[in-house]
Amino acid sequence: MAQAFGIPRQRWPLAVAMILLLAFTLSWLQGRFDASDAKKAIAAAMAWKPAGGQTVFDALASRNEGDPQCTGKVVSQLLGDVEVRCATPGNPTADYEFRVLLDGKRPPRAANAAAEQLVAGMVQK
């Protein structure tokens, strides 16, 4: 009877199936964690009040270009670093990028020129 890694030959299909099931389950679970982190980061970025006045969401909505549409992409799972990109239907070419650390110790920060201009306009008001 041939064995590899202590597994009899007739059990190999079952062992391979279990490994594939484990890999699929871990992949699915990580996707769920990433989606949850992205939602938290989008909420944090939109609720951010850089000058203590209006939120980023209110500043984008006040431009009368429609409700902002945001997506989140996990940059670092270890650090909880998420990149949030928002655009409005009235001006889809303008991307507002924010970087959010989910540890809650630091506020989100503007990550491109359009977002920096938006935040600077909020601070001046």
Side-chain angles (χ1 to χ4, degrees), residues 4-5 7 11-28:
F5 302 110
I7 302 171
R11 301 263 181 169
W12 267 99
L14 179 61
V16 169
M18 290 177 67
I19 290 170
L20 290 174
L21 179 63
L22 177 63
F24 173 76
T25 303
L26 290 175
S27 175
W28 173 78

Coordinates of all heavy atoms in Angstrom, one line a residue, residues 4-5 7 11-28:
A4 N 1.8 8.6 1.3 CA 2.5 9.8 1.2 C 2.0 10.7 2.3 O 0.8 10.9 2.5 CB 2.3 10.5 -0.2
F5 N 2.9 11.2 3.1 CA 2.6 12.1 4.3 C 1.7 11.3 5.3 O 0.9 11.9 6.0 CB 1.9 13.4 3.9 CG 2.7 14.2 2.9 CD1 2.3 14.4 1.6 CD2 3.8 14.9 3.4 CE1 3.0 15.2 0.8 CE2 4.5 15.7 2.5 CZ 4.2 15.8 1.2
I7 N -0.7 9.4 4.6 CA -2.1 9.2 4.1 C -2.2 8.1 3.1 O -1.4 8.1 2.1 CB -2.6 10.5 3.4 CG1 -2.5 11.7 4.4 CG2 -4.1 10.4 2.9 CD1 -2.8 13.0 3.8
R11 N -7.2 7.5 0.2 CA -7.7 8.7 1.0 C -7.3 10.0 0.4 O -7.7 11.1 0.8 CB -7.3 8.6 2.4 CG -7.7 7.4 3.1 CD -9.0 7.7 3.9 NE -9.4 6.5 4.6 CZ -10.3 6.5 5.5 NH1 -10.9 7.6 5.8 NH2 -10.6 5.4 6.1
W12 N -6.4 10.0 -0.6 CA -5.9 11.2 -1.2 C -7.0 12.1 -1.8 O -7.0 13.4 -1.6 CB -4.9 11.0 -2.3 CG -3.5 11.0 -1.7 CD1 -2.8 9.9 -1.3 CD2 -2.7 12.1 -1.3 NE1 -1.6 10.3 -0.7 CE2 -1.6 11.7 -0.7 CE3 -3.0 13.5 -1.4 CZ2 -0.6 12.6 -0.3 CZ3 -2.0 14.4 -1.0 CH2 -0.8 13.9 -0.4
P13 N -8.0 11.6 -2.5 CA -9.1 12.5 -3.0 C -9.8 13.2 -1.9 O -10.1 14.4 -2.0 CB -10.0 11.5 -3.8 CG -9.1 10.4 -4.2 CD -8.2 10.2 -3.1
L14 N -10.1 12.5 -0.8 CA -10.7 13.2 0.3 C -9.8 14.2 1.0 O -10.3 15.3 1.3 CB -11.1 12.1 1.4 CG -11.8 12.7 2.7 CD1 -13.1 13.4 2.3 CD2 -12.0 11.6 3.7
A15 N -8.5 14.0 1.1 CA -7.6 14.9 1.7 C -7.5 16.2 0.8 O -7.5 17.3 1.3 CB -6.2 14.3 1.8
V16 N -7.4 16.0 -0.5 CA -7.3 17.1 -1.5 C -8.6 17.9 -1.4 O -8.6 19.2 -1.4 CB -7.1 16.6 -2.9 CG1 -7.2 17.8 -3.9 CG2 -5.6 16.1 -3.0
A17 N -9.8 17.3 -1.3 CA -11.1 17.9 -1.2 C -11.1 18.8 0.0 O -11.6 19.9 0.0 CB -12.2 16.9 -1.3
M18 N -10.7 18.2 1.1 CA -10.7 19.0 2.4 C -9.8 20.2 2.4 O -10.1 21.3 2.9 CB -10.3 18.0 3.6 CG -11.4 17.0 3.9 SD -10.9 15.9 5.2 CE -10.8 16.9 6.6
I19 N -8.6 20.1 1.7 CA -7.7 21.2 1.6 C -8.3 22.3 0.7 O -8.3 23.5 1.1 CB -6.3 20.7 1.0 CG1 -5.6 19.9 2.1 CG2 -5.5 21.9 0.6 CD1 -4.4 19.2 1.6
L20 N -9.0 21.9 -0.4 CA -9.6 22.9 -1.2 C -10.8 23.6 -0.5 O -11.0 24.8 -0.6 CB -10.1 22.2 -2.5 CG -9.0 21.8 -3.5 CD1 -9.6 21.0 -4.7 CD2 -8.2 23.0 -4.0
L21 N -11.5 22.8 0.3 CA -12.6 23.4 1.0 C -12.1 24.4 2.1 O -12.7 25.5 2.3 CB -13.4 22.3 1.7 CG -14.6 22.8 2.6 CD1 -15.6 23.5 1.7 CD2 -15.3 21.6 3.3
L22 N -11.0 24.0 2.7 CA -10.4 24.9 3.7 C -9.9 26.2 3.0 O -10.2 27.3 3.5 CB -9.3 24.2 4.4 CG -8.5 25.1 5.4 CD1 -9.4 25.5 6.6 CD2 -7.3 24.3 5.9
A23 N -9.3 26.1 1.9 CA -8.8 27.3 1.2 C -9.9 28.1 0.7 O -9.9 29.4 0.9 CB -7.9 26.8 0.0
F24 N -11.0 27.5 0.2 CA -12.2 28.3 -0.2 C -12.8 29.0 1.0 O -13.1 30.2 0.9 CB -13.2 27.4 -0.9 CG -14.5 28.1 -1.2 CD1 -14.6 29.0 -2.2 CD2 -15.6 27.9 -0.3 CE1 -15.8 29.7 -2.5 CE2 -16.8 28.6 -0.6 CZ -16.9 29.5 -1.6
T25 N -12.9 28.3 2.1 CA -13.5 28.9 3.3 C -12.7 30.1 3.8 O -13.2 31.2 4.2 CB -13.7 27.9 4.4 OG1 -14.5 26.8 3.9 CG2 -14.3 28.4 5.6
L26 N -11.4 29.9 3.9 CA -10.5 31.0 4.3 C -10.6 32.2 3.4 O -10.6 33.4 3.8 CB -9.1 30.5 4.5 CG -8.8 29.6 5.6 CD1 -7.4 29.1 5.6 CD2 -9.2 30.2 7.0
S27 N -10.6 32.0 2.1 CA -10.7 33.0 1.1 C -12.0 33.8 1.2 O -12.1 35.0 1.2 CB -10.6 32.5 -0.3 OG -10.8 33.4 -1.3
W28 N -13.1 33.1 1.4 CA -14.4 33.7 1.6 C -14.5 34.5 2.9 O -15.0 35.6 2.9 CB -15.5 32.6 1.6 CG -16.9 33.1 1.9 CD1 -17.7 33.7 1.1 CD2 -17.5 33.0 3.2 NE1 -18.9 34.1 1.8 CE2 -18.8 33.6 3.1 CE3 -17.1 32.5 4.5 CZ2 -19.7 33.7 4.2 CZ3 -18.0 32.6 5.5 CH2 -19.3 33.2 5.3

